[in-house]
Amino acid sequence: MLLAMQMLALVIAIMVLLWMIALHRRARAAEQLTPRKVLTPTFESAFASRPPVWMVVRATDPRTVQSALGLNQPTPCSWTEGMTGERKFFIGPPVNGWIIVTGSGLPNPSCDVDDCFRFLARISGQLGQVQLFHADRILHHHAWARAENGVVTRAYAWAGETIWNQGAKTPAEIELSMKCFGYGKEPNADSWAAVEWTAANVGKVPLLATRWSLDPARVNERARKHADGIAGESSRVY
Protein backbone atom coordinates (compact mmCIF):
# COMPACT_ATOMS: atom_id res chain seq x y z
CA MET A 1 0.00 0.00 0.00
CA LEU A 2 2.93 2.32 0.77
CA LEU A 3 4.36 1.56 -2.64
CA ALA A 4 1.04 2.45 -4.28
CA MET A 5 0.95 5.78 -2.51
CA GLN A 6 4.49 6.56 -3.64
CA MET A 7 3.60 5.68 -7.23
CA LEU A 8 0.52 7.92 -7.06
CA ALA A 9 2.58 10.82 -5.73
CA LEU A 10 5.11 10.31 -8.53
CA VAL A 11 2.38 10.28 -11.18
CA ILE A 12 0.86 13.50 -9.77
CA ALA A 13 4.28 15.19 -9.74
CA ILE A 14 4.88 14.18 -13.38
CA MET A 15 1.44 15.49 -14.40
CA VAL A 16 2.07 18.85 -12.67
CA LEU A 17 5.45 19.12 -14.38
CA LEU A 18 3.95 18.37 -17.81
CA TRP A 19 1.18 20.92 -17.17
CA MET A 20 3.72 23.63 -16.29
CA ILE A 21 5.75 22.83 -19.42
CA ALA A 22 2.61 23.09 -21.55
CA LEU A 23 1.73 26.47 -20.03
CA HIS A 24 5.26 27.78 -20.66
CA ARG A 25 5.18 26.67 -24.32
CA ARG A 26 1.75 28.24 -24.80
CA ALA A 27 2.97 31.53 -23.35
CA ARG A 28 6.06 31.49 -25.61
CA ALA A 29 3.89 30.85 -28.66
CA ALA A 30 1.54 33.69 -27.76
CA GLU A 31 4.48 36.06 -27.27
CA GLN A 32 5.85 35.23 -30.71
CA LEU A 33 2.48 35.83 -32.34
CA THR A 34 1.92 39.18 -30.59
CA PRO A 35 3.49 42.08 -32.51
CA ARG A 36 6.00 43.96 -30.42
CA LYS A 37 5.38 47.65 -29.87
CA VAL A 38 8.22 49.79 -31.16
CA LEU A 39 9.00 52.65 -28.80
CA THR A 40 10.08 55.80 -30.57
CA PRO A 41 12.57 57.88 -28.59
CA THR A 42 10.51 61.06 -29.02
CA PHE A 43 11.84 62.64 -25.84
CA GLU A 44 15.49 62.37 -26.83
CA SER A 45 14.90 63.45 -30.42
CA ALA A 46 12.88 66.40 -29.18
CA PHE A 47 16.03 67.86 -27.57
CA ALA A 48 17.30 68.63 -31.08
CA SER A 49 14.65 71.36 -31.45
CA ARG A 50 14.93 72.75 -27.93
CA PRO A 51 17.62 75.23 -26.84
CA PRO A 52 19.20 74.86 -23.39
CA VAL A 53 17.62 78.14 -22.22
CA TRP A 54 14.27 79.55 -23.27
CA MET A 55 11.75 82.07 -22.03
CA VAL A 56 7.98 82.02 -22.39
CA VAL A 57 5.84 85.16 -22.24
CA ARG A 58 2.08 85.38 -21.80
CA ALA A 59 1.39 87.49 -24.89
CA THR A 60 -0.19 87.38 -28.34
CA ASP A 61 1.68 90.21 -30.07
CA PRO A 62 5.41 89.63 -30.74
CA ARG A 63 5.89 93.39 -31.12
CA THR A 64 5.24 93.96 -27.42
CA VAL A 65 7.99 91.44 -26.59
CA GLN A 66 10.25 93.07 -29.17
CA SER A 67 9.72 96.45 -27.54
CA ALA A 68 10.38 95.12 -24.03
CA LEU A 69 13.66 93.52 -25.15
CA GLY A 70 14.66 96.64 -27.10
CA LEU A 71 15.55 94.73 -30.26
CA ASN A 72 17.57 96.64 -32.85
CA GLN A 73 17.06 96.06 -36.58
CA PRO A 74 14.58 93.17 -36.19
CA THR A 75 14.44 90.77 -39.13
CA PRO A 76 12.19 87.80 -39.99
CA CYS A 77 13.60 84.48 -38.79
CA SER A 78 12.37 80.91 -39.23
CA TRP A 79 11.49 78.76 -36.25
CA THR A 80 14.20 76.23 -37.13
CA GLU A 81 16.93 78.86 -37.17
CA GLY A 82 15.61 80.56 -34.07
CA MET A 83 15.63 77.33 -32.05
CA THR A 84 19.37 76.89 -32.57
CA GLY A 85 19.85 79.61 -29.96
CA GLU A 86 22.58 81.24 -32.05
CA ARG A 87 20.75 84.52 -32.55
CA LYS A 88 21.00 87.13 -29.81
CA PHE A 89 17.23 87.04 -29.45
CA PHE A 90 14.56 85.14 -31.33
CA ILE A 91 10.88 85.88 -30.70
CA GLY A 92 8.61 83.13 -31.95
CA PRO A 93 5.08 83.49 -33.28
CA PRO A 94 2.25 83.34 -30.70
CA VAL A 95 1.09 79.83 -29.78
CA ASN A 96 -2.01 79.35 -27.62
CA GLY A 97 -1.55 82.71 -25.95
CA TRP A 98 2.19 82.28 -25.33
CA ILE A 99 5.33 83.51 -27.09
CA ILE A 100 8.66 81.68 -26.84
CA VAL A 101 11.92 83.63 -26.75
CA THR A 102 15.35 82.04 -27.26
CA GLY A 103 18.87 83.22 -27.97
CA SER A 104 22.27 83.87 -26.47
CA GLY A 105 20.99 87.17 -25.06
CA LEU A 106 18.88 85.38 -22.47
CA PRO A 107 20.54 85.14 -19.07
CA ASN A 108 21.74 81.70 -18.03
CA PRO A 109 21.02 81.12 -14.33
CA SER A 110 24.09 78.89 -14.05
CA CYS A 111 26.35 81.80 -15.04
CA ASP A 112 24.80 84.66 -13.07
CA VAL A 113 21.66 84.02 -11.06
CA ASP A 114 21.44 87.68 -9.95
CA ASP A 115 21.45 88.81 -13.57
CA CYS A 116 18.69 86.31 -14.28
CA PHE A 117 16.63 87.63 -11.37
CA ARG A 118 16.96 91.25 -12.52
CA PHE A 119 16.13 90.32 -16.11
CA LEU A 120 12.95 88.46 -15.18
CA ALA A 121 11.81 91.17 -12.79
CA ARG A 122 12.29 93.86 -15.42
CA ILE A 123 10.74 92.00 -18.34
CA SER A 124 7.76 90.75 -16.32
CA GLY A 125 7.24 94.30 -15.06
CA GLN A 126 6.62 95.27 -18.69
CA LEU A 127 4.96 92.15 -20.06
CA GLY A 128 3.14 90.56 -17.11
CA GLN A 129 3.74 86.81 -16.80
CA VAL A 130 7.17 85.54 -17.83
CA GLN A 131 8.83 82.14 -17.36
CA LEU A 132 12.41 80.97 -17.86
CA PHE A 133 13.66 77.39 -18.26
CA HIS A 134 17.15 75.92 -18.39
CA ALA A 135 18.18 72.29 -18.99
CA ASP A 136 21.80 71.29 -19.66
CA ARG A 137 22.04 67.57 -20.45
CA ILE A 138 25.84 67.51 -20.15
CA LEU A 139 26.48 69.37 -16.89
CA HIS A 140 23.01 68.60 -15.52
CA HIS A 141 22.60 72.28 -14.60
CA HIS A 142 18.93 73.23 -14.57
CA ALA A 143 16.53 75.96 -13.57
CA TRP A 144 12.95 77.10 -13.80
CA ALA A 145 11.47 80.40 -12.76
CA ARG A 146 8.38 82.46 -13.26
CA ALA A 147 7.64 86.08 -12.54
CA GLU A 148 4.58 88.27 -12.81
CA ASN A 149 4.32 92.05 -12.88
CA GLY A 150 7.89 92.50 -11.72
CA VAL A 151 7.80 89.91 -8.91
CA VAL A 152 9.52 86.50 -9.04
CA THR A 153 6.95 84.12 -7.55
CA ARG A 154 8.83 80.83 -7.97
CA ALA A 155 12.37 79.87 -8.94
CA TYR A 156 14.79 77.01 -8.53
CA ALA A 157 18.28 76.70 -10.03
CA TRP A 158 21.08 74.19 -9.57
CA ALA A 159 24.63 74.53 -10.90
CA GLY A 160 26.78 72.16 -8.91
CA GLU A 161 24.80 73.34 -5.88
CA THR A 162 21.49 75.04 -5.24
CA ILE A 163 21.98 78.68 -6.26
CA TRP A 164 18.36 79.83 -6.29
CA ASN A 165 15.34 78.60 -4.38
CA GLN A 166 12.55 81.13 -4.08
CA GLY A 167 8.86 80.61 -3.37
CA ALA A 168 6.87 77.46 -2.67
CA LYS A 169 6.92 74.44 -4.99
CA THR A 170 4.09 74.58 -7.48
CA PRO A 171 1.57 71.73 -7.91
CA ALA A 172 3.21 70.83 -11.24
CA GLU A 173 6.64 70.42 -9.60
CA ILE A 174 5.11 68.23 -6.90
CA GLU A 175 3.24 66.14 -9.45
CA LEU A 176 6.46 65.55 -11.41
CA SER A 177 8.40 64.72 -8.21
CA MET A 178 11.04 67.32 -9.02
CA LYS A 179 13.83 67.58 -6.46
CA CYS A 180 14.45 70.98 -4.87
CA PHE A 181 16.94 71.42 -2.06
CA GLY A 182 17.69 74.29 0.27
CA TYR A 183 20.99 76.12 0.03
CA GLY A 184 23.77 73.69 0.94
CA LYS A 185 21.28 70.90 1.63
CA GLU A 186 21.59 68.85 -1.57
CA PRO A 187 23.69 65.63 -1.81
CA ASN A 188 27.38 65.98 -2.64
CA ALA A 189 27.63 67.06 -6.29
CA ASP A 190 30.11 64.24 -7.03
CA SER A 191 27.94 61.50 -5.54
CA TRP A 192 25.86 59.03 -7.51
CA ALA A 193 22.78 60.33 -5.74
CA ALA A 194 23.42 63.81 -7.14
CA VAL A 195 23.99 62.46 -10.64
CA GLU A 196 20.73 60.58 -10.46
CA TRP A 197 18.46 63.35 -9.22
CA THR A 198 20.01 66.13 -11.30
CA ALA A 199 19.65 64.06 -14.49
CA ALA A 200 16.04 63.37 -13.56
CA ASN A 201 15.37 67.07 -12.99
CA VAL A 202 16.90 67.99 -16.35
CA GLY A 203 14.61 65.48 -18.06
CA LYS A 204 11.57 66.89 -16.28
CA VAL A 205 12.17 70.57 -17.09
CA PRO A 206 10.42 70.31 -20.49
CA LEU A 207 7.52 68.48 -18.82
CA LEU A 208 7.23 71.30 -16.31
CA ALA A 209 7.33 73.83 -19.15
CA THR A 210 4.43 72.01 -20.81
CA ARG A 211 2.37 72.26 -17.63
CA TRP A 212 3.24 75.89 -16.99
CA SER A 213 3.10 77.11 -20.58
CA LEU A 214 5.02 75.72 -23.59
CA ASP A 215 7.84 73.35 -24.43
CA PRO A 216 9.54 74.55 -27.69
CA ALA A 217 9.97 70.97 -28.91
CA ARG A 218 6.24 70.27 -28.57
CA VAL A 219 4.94 73.28 -30.48
CA ASN A 220 2.56 72.36 -33.28
CA GLU A 221 4.38 71.60 -36.53
CA ARG A 222 2.12 73.95 -38.48
CA ALA A 223 3.08 76.85 -36.21
CA ARG A 224 6.76 75.99 -36.66
CA LYS A 225 6.69 75.80 -40.44
CA HIS A 226 4.18 78.43 -41.52
CA ALA A 227 4.93 81.41 -39.26
CA ASP A 228 8.21 83.26 -39.00
CA GLY A 229 9.47 84.84 -35.85
CA ILE A 230 11.60 87.92 -35.23
CA ALA A 231 15.35 87.98 -34.64
CA GLY A 232 17.51 90.86 -33.50
CA GLU A 233 19.99 92.22 -30.98
CA SER A 234 19.59 94.47 -27.98
CA SER A 235 21.96 97.07 -26.62
CA ARG A 236 20.24 97.09 -23.23
CA VAL A 237 22.06 95.88 -20.16
CA TYR A 238 19.81 94.03 -17.73
Side-chain angles (χ1 to χ4, degrees):
M1 186 173 180
L2 181 61
L3 181 60
M5 291 179 64
Q6 291 177 342
M7 290 295 295
L8 179 61
L10 179 61
V11 170
I12 293 175
I14 294 174
M15 292 179 64
V16 170
L17 178 61
L18 292 175
W19 177 69
M20 292 178 65
I21 293 174
L23 285 180
H24 178 69
R25 289 178 176 175
R26 186 180 302 175
R28 289 285 301 274
E31 182 181 356
Q32 292 175 356
L33 292 174
T34 302
R36 294 180 179 271
K37 183 178 180 180
V38 178
L39 298 177
T40 303
T42 54
F43 184 76
E44 288 299 323
S45 61
F47 266 106
S49 56
R50 183 190 300 114
V53 180
W54 72 95
M55 181 172 72
V56 186
V57 182
R58 171 66 84 176
T60 56
D61 187 354
R63 290 173 297 182
T64 62
V65 182
Q66 175 187 329
S67 177
L69 292 173
L71 259 62
N72 301 321
Q73 300 180 337
T75 58
C77 179
S78 70
W79 179 274
T80 302
E81 182 182 355
M83 284 301 111
T84 62
E86 295 178 359
R87 293 297 192 105
K88 195 70 174 180
F89 287 103
F90 167 74
I91 303 170
V95 179
N96 299 329
W98 297 96
I99 290 177
I100 290 178
V101 181
T102 66
S104 60
L106 288 176
N108 187 326
S110 299
C111 300
D112 191 333
V113 71
D114 293 329
D115 181 42
C116 186
F117 172 83
R118 290 191 295 268
F119 176 85
L120 287 177
R122 182 184 181 281
I123 294 299
S124 68
Q126 294 182 264
L127 298 175
Q129 187 176 158
V130 175
Q131 303 168 6
L132 187 79
F133 302 94
H134 171 47
D136 187 324
R137 288 188 298 164
I138 298 175
L139 298 176
H140 290 174
H141 293 179
H142 54 274
W144 53 89
R146 64 184 188 183
E148 191 162 1
N149 300 324
V151 178
V152 175
T153 57
R154 172 60 182 151
Y156 184 78
W158 187 89
E161 61 181 342
T162 298
I163 57 174
W164 194 6
N165 191 350
Q166 181 174 348
K169 290 182 71 172
T170 62
E173 293 170 70
I174 297 172
E175 178 188 346
L176 292 169
S177 299
M178 302 184 82
K179 300 289 187 181
C180 300
F181 293 92
Y183 300 106
K185 302 296 184 180
E186 68 280 331
N188 186 296
D190 297 325
S191 68
W192 280 109
V195 172
E196 184 177 355
W197 77 262
T198 53
N201 266 7
V202 169
K204 292 174 182 178
V205 168
L207 302 179
L208 178 64
T210 300
R211 285 162 171 75
W212 277 9
S213 53
L214 288 177
D215 170 13
R218 305 297 182 189
V219 171
N220 184 278
E221 185 176 359
R222 181 178 180 182
R224 297 199 306 264
K225 289 186 175 181
H226 300 287
D228 282 343
I230 303 170
E233 297 190 3
S234 176
S235 57
R236 293 181 181 175
V237 177
Y238 297 97

